């Protein structure tokens, strides 16, 4: 019987893991630090984007990518609300850097301040400078960013433009196939002005399946 290949402890572990995943309803895989892999989501392989889509972004070295992360970690302030953490940006200028699938973090998520998909708050009317760095690797591992009112749950495709769209950053290409330290990374920047009235928005990756898999968070405009 196949159970001799799957001892009871292993089966229990699998069952517990499955329950935990079902409870949090969030992405399942954590990317290893050095080993790129071809991704799949369930039975669906994530293939390359259609040839007519030209990804945006400029290439940077891993040293520059690491500097972007170090600098981003000094932007904004992490505020605790009980067990939850919010990334708060004060003042009239907010510089917000999103890392797409930072190595060592869960798959199909954004990282900011080493938090996974945190809630972000900015002042009403603030100038918001947005940076997106794609650290993901694999065929079709493009990521983009859109901010608007469209709330979860998300389906396979996010309708673009999203409701009350504030900003859209095009899909940018994945990192090169080399190891993390020798790879090249794509980065893109844009800016927009936050609404003058408070409101709740969401930041979402518009790549098919990504928001559904957990690549989104809350974006709150406060007084
Ligand atoms: Cu994505």
């Amino acid at each position: 019987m196949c159970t001799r290949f799957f001892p009871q402890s292993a089966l229990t572990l699998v069952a517990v893991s499955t329950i935990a995943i079902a409870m949090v309803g969030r992405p399942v895989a954590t990317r290893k630090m050095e080993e790129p892999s071809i991704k799949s989501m369930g039975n669906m392989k994530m293939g390359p984007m259609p040839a007519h889509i030209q990804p945006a972004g400029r290439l940077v070295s891993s040293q520059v990518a690491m500097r972007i992360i170090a600098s981003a970690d000094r932007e904004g302030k992490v505020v605790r609300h009980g067990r939850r953490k919010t990334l708060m940006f004060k003042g009239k200028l907010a510089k917000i850097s999103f890392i797409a699938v930072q190595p060592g973090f869960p798959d199909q998520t954004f990282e900011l301040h080493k938090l996974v998909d945190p809630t972000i708050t900015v002042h009403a009317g603030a100038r918001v400078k947005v940076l997106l760095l794609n650290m993901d690797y694999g065929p079709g591992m493009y990521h983009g960013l859109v901010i608007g009112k469209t709330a979860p749950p998300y389906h396979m495709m996010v309708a673009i433009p999203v409701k009350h769209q504030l900003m859209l950053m095009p899909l940018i290409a994945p990192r090169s196939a080399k190891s993390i330290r020798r790879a090249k990374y794509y980065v893109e920047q844009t800016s927009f002005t936050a609404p003058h009235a408070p409101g709740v928005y969401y930041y979402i990756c518009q790549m098919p399946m990504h928001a559904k898999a957990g690549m989104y968070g809350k974006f709150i405009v406060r007084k």
Side-chain angles (χ1 to χ4, degrees), residues 58-77:
R58 76 187 159 87
L59 268 178
V60 298
S61 66
S62 86
Q63 288 81 4
V64 171
M66 296 310 156
R67 280 207 294 273
I68 288 171
I69 294 173
S71 166
D73 284 351
R74 294 192 294 272
E75 299 160 359
K77 187 179 176 191

Side-chain angles (χ1 to χ4, degrees), residues 59-186:
L59 268 178
V60 298
S61 66
S62 86
Q63 288 81 4
V64 171
M66 296 310 156
R67 280 207 294 273
I68 288 171
I69 294 173
S71 166
D73 284 351
R74 294 192 294 272
E75 299 160 359
K77 187 179 176 191
V78 177
V79 180
R80 273 183 186 274
H81 299 283
R83 294 172 64 184
R84 279 182 38 245
K85 290 177 179 173
T86 297
L87 187 52
M88 184 181 282
F89 291 86
K90 292 182 176 175
K92 291 186 173 167
L93 175 64
K95 288 168 69 181
I96 309 177
S97 300
F98 294 79
I99 316 301
V101 194
Q102 190 168 337
F105 286 82
D107 212 352
Q108 308 301 26
T109 54
F110 289 111
E111 281 69 51
L112 298 96
H113 272 255
K114 299 182 176 57
L115 302 177
V116 174
D117 295 333
T119 294
I120 297 169
T121 70
V122 301
H123 267 304
R127 191 71 190 152
V128 184
K129 290 189 172 179
V130 180
L131 179 148
L132 174 63
L133 169 66
N134 189 358
M135 302 198 81
D136 207 353
Y137 167 70
M141 290 301 103
Y142 294 72
H143 297 288
L145 189 64
V146 55
I147 300 177
K149 278 274 187 191
T150 301
Y154 302 111
H155 304 291
M156 190 181 127
M157 297 288 288
V158 176
I160 302 293
V162 303
K163 199 175 168 195
H164 303 303
Q165 184 167 297
L166 301 180
M167 186 222 73
L168 172 67
M169 192 175 277
L171 294 173
I172 65 172
R175 73 168 169 86
S176 65
K178 293 181 177 169
S179 72
I180 287 169
R181 288 180 191 82
R182 291 187 301 123
K184 296 283 188 185
Y185 299 83
Y186 278 92

